[in-house]
Amino acid sequence: MAIRKKATEAEAKSATKTAKTTTKKAAAKKEESIFGSSKVKTLFSISQEAANNATTVNLAGDFNNWDKEITVMKFDKKTKNFTAEIELEKGIHQFRYIFDGNIWGNDPNLPTEENDLGINSIIEVK
């Protein structure tokens, strides 16, 4: 009988936790529908020519902790462009492209800004 009581208590705790999670998700969706999402799908694109004819291009920035391996851009053979679409918080972000795993470069079509580590491309997400 004690075993069944413990199982019932565990089921009740699990149900309460699930209800709280569901309520939080519902509140977040309601807030998003009222105020709009704080994240926006953002497309990064660079031509193979502008990427120094690289065979691979990755994206590093303040949005991925400057990790040069986490965001791999896809190459489109038709357009000869590397692209990546990621969700970013609204605001200004700094980033750089990494060509062939070790050459850092900026986007020739966007403004740049200097920080302690160098000059980075900037993008404003609205």
Side-chain angles (χ1 to χ4, degrees):
M1 185 91 113
I3 293 173
R4 182 65 194 142
K5 183 177 178 183
K6 284 185 180 181
T8 305
E9 287 174 359
E11 289 168 359
K13 284 182 182 178
S14 177
T16 301
K17 187 175 182 179
T18 301
K20 286 180 181 177
T21 302
T22 303
T23 302
K24 285 181 183 178
K25 286 180 181 177
K29 280 187 178 184
K30 184 176 180 181
E31 183 176 311
E32 185 175 312
S33 70
I34 294 170
F35 300 110
S37 174
S38 64
K39 290 195 175 187
V40 177
K41 283 186 180 180
T42 306
L43 179 67
F44 290 84
S45 180
I46 187 166
S47 71
Q48 188 174 34
E49 183 181 352
N52 299 321
N53 293 313
T55 56
T56 64
V57 178
N58 292 11
L59 182 64
D62 56 17
F63 44 81
N64 67 5
N65 214 19
W66 294 97
D67 186 325
K68 70 178 192 174
E69 296 175 0
I70 199 166
T71 308
V72 178
M73 299 181 75
K74 294 177 185 172
F75 183 68
D76 184 320
K77 289 180 183 179
K78 284 184 181 178
T79 64
K80 303 260 190 237
N81 287 332
F82 291 92
T83 61
E85 185 175 59
I86 58 176
E87 289 192 355
L88 294 180
E89 294 287 338
K90 294 176 183 175
I92 296 175
H93 298 277
Q94 292 189 15
F95 73 96
R96 295 194 79 191
Y97 297 113
I98 299 91
F99 309 129
D100 292 328
N102 61 1
I103 301 167
W104 291 71
N106 288 314
D107 191 312
N109 299 311
L110 292 174
T112 57
E113 187 172 279
E114 190 169 358
N115 70 12
D116 296 345
L117 302 175
I119 299 173
N120 303 311
S121 295
I122 58 169
I123 188 167
E124 183 174 5
V125 179
K126 296 181 180 181

